[in-house]
Amino acid sequence: MTVTPWTDPAHGRALDKAVTPTRMGTYLAAAGHDPALARRLYVWDRDVAAAFLADIAILEVALRSAVVAQLDRLYGVRWFEVDAGFDGPTRSKLQGAWEDLPQGRRTPGHLVARLM
């Protein structure tokens, strides 16, 4: 038998310590307040999320590239230096990301690579 957080009490206690009561409360409610089932749901949810991470990262890069292509088309390759309609926090983050680039890497491509 495989040892799991829902079949082994020591693993269950370790998981209970690692997950905040507020976070686990969501799973307890969904599990009808059955702690073993709540742990199973939590681990399943974590595993599903981890499985999607690589695909989400690929989509994020594709989306970022598409947005930057449109910004380049509308405002030029130095779109981050003009008023492209971004709000204050976004402008501040762009400026900070630009300033954080090493001097030899201050190119639009390196800036975009740093953005999320």
Side-chain angles (χ1 to χ4, degrees):
M1 179 167 118
T2 303
V3 176
T4 64
W6 49 91
T7 61
D8 179 65
H11 281 85
R13 285 190 298 275
L15 183 61
D16 291 344
K17 286 181 181 179
V19 181
T20 66
T22 302
R23 179 75 175 131
M24 189 54 80
T26 303
Y27 298 95
L28 281 167
H33 297 281
D34 175 346
L37 181 55
R39 289 185 198 106
R40 286 185 76 166
L41 289 173
Y42 175 82
V43 171
W44 175 82
D45 189 32
R46 181 201 62 197
D47 291 346
V48 168
F52 280 114
L53 281 178
D55 292 335
I56 289 170
I58 291 167
L59 288 173
E60 186 271 331
V61 169
L63 178 60
R64 181 177 0 138
S65 295
V67 168
V68 168
Q70 291 304 309
L71 290 167
D72 283 352
R73 187 178 65 76
L74 293 169
Y75 301 101
V77 295
R78 299 191 67 89
W79 54 266
F80 51 91
E81 294 179 336
V82 300
D83 183 4
F86 295 121
D87 63 7
T90 300
R91 285 192 307 271
S92 177
K93 287 180 183 177
L94 281 168
Q95 181 179 0
W98 181 256
E99 291 170 358
D100 288 345
L101 286 170
Q103 198 64 32
R105 293 187 177 260
R106 285 195 179 167
T107 67
H110 283 103
L111 174 66
V112 171
R114 286 216 158 177
L115 302 176
M116 293 185 70

